[in-house]
Amino acid sequence: MGRYYAVSFSAVAVSAAQDLFELTAPANGAARIRLHQVNLVQTSDVASADSEVLRVSLLRYSSASTSGSGGSAPTPAPLESGDPAATFTAEVNNTTQATGGTSVTLVEDGFNVLGGAALALAIPPDRRPSAVNGERLVVRITAPADALTMSGTVIVEEG
């Protein structure tokens, strides 16, 4: 069993399609990362007239891909007190999306912005989407109709 980490962002203005999370496995092959959960919420559009559905995609990019940009690079937080720092890297809210290399879409879903999203993948934990050797896991959304204030968290296993 690996170690578990949370990667989060809070109260970020989202007005364009973007990679909400970009998780890059260590290039040396020492660790695999596995995505267990994605939670998204917005707090700015709260009336029924603001209702819209955004598409959420989970993609895996090869190590030959180019990282996105325009966001920030939070430090993954270990869920277990005393665990070491993660060896994978994380970026959030990249307005320039990851490109190049080979990509495969692993999950296509959607969520109504009024209700948020809790994408707990209904497959065995040891078979959830993973990446190794510099591959990237990317959680991407389509552009909202108007700017949203969004927050989100992913739970990632490393090991």
Side-chain angles (χ1 to χ4, degrees):
M1 184 165 90
R3 293 185 169 95
Y4 288 80
Y5 299 85
V7 176
S8 299
F9 66 91
S10 181
V12 172
V14 174
S15 59
Q18 63 182 255
D19 291 346
L20 292 178
F21 297 96
E22 180 182 307
L23 311 164
T24 305
N28 62 11
R32 169 184 309 272
I33 59 172
R34 190 173 304 278
L35 185 63
H36 285 276
Q37 190 168 338
V38 178
N39 293 303
L40 302 172
V41 66
Q42 67 80 30
T43 54
S44 54
D45 284 4
V46 294
S48 59
D50 297 324
S51 179
E52 65 177 301
V53 175
L54 298 181
R55 193 174 78 237
V56 179
S57 304
L58 172 59
L59 305 107
R60 181 175 41 233
Y61 278 86
S62 68
S63 60
S65 62
T66 301
S67 176
S69 63
S72 62
T75 300
L79 295 184
E80 183 71 28
S81 180
D83 273 356
T87 60
F88 71 93
T89 60
E91 296 178 21
V92 295
N93 306 107
N94 281 339
T95 53
T96 300
Q97 298 170 326
T99 60
T102 302
S103 68
V104 60
T105 301
L106 303 173
V107 175
E108 281 287 347
D109 206 341
F111 74 101
N112 187 307
V113 299
L114 297 180
L119 306 174
L121 303 171
I123 54 178
D126 64 335
R127 294 292 176 235
R128 291 185 178 151
S130 67
V132 296
N133 295 326
E135 293 175 328
R136 304 174 201 286
L137 292 175
V138 174
V139 177
R140 179 173 289 165
I141 64 164
T142 54
D146 60 347
L148 300 173
T149 301
M150 294 189 69
S151 300
T153 301
V154 292
I155 304 298
V156 181
E157 178 184 9
E158 179 180 74

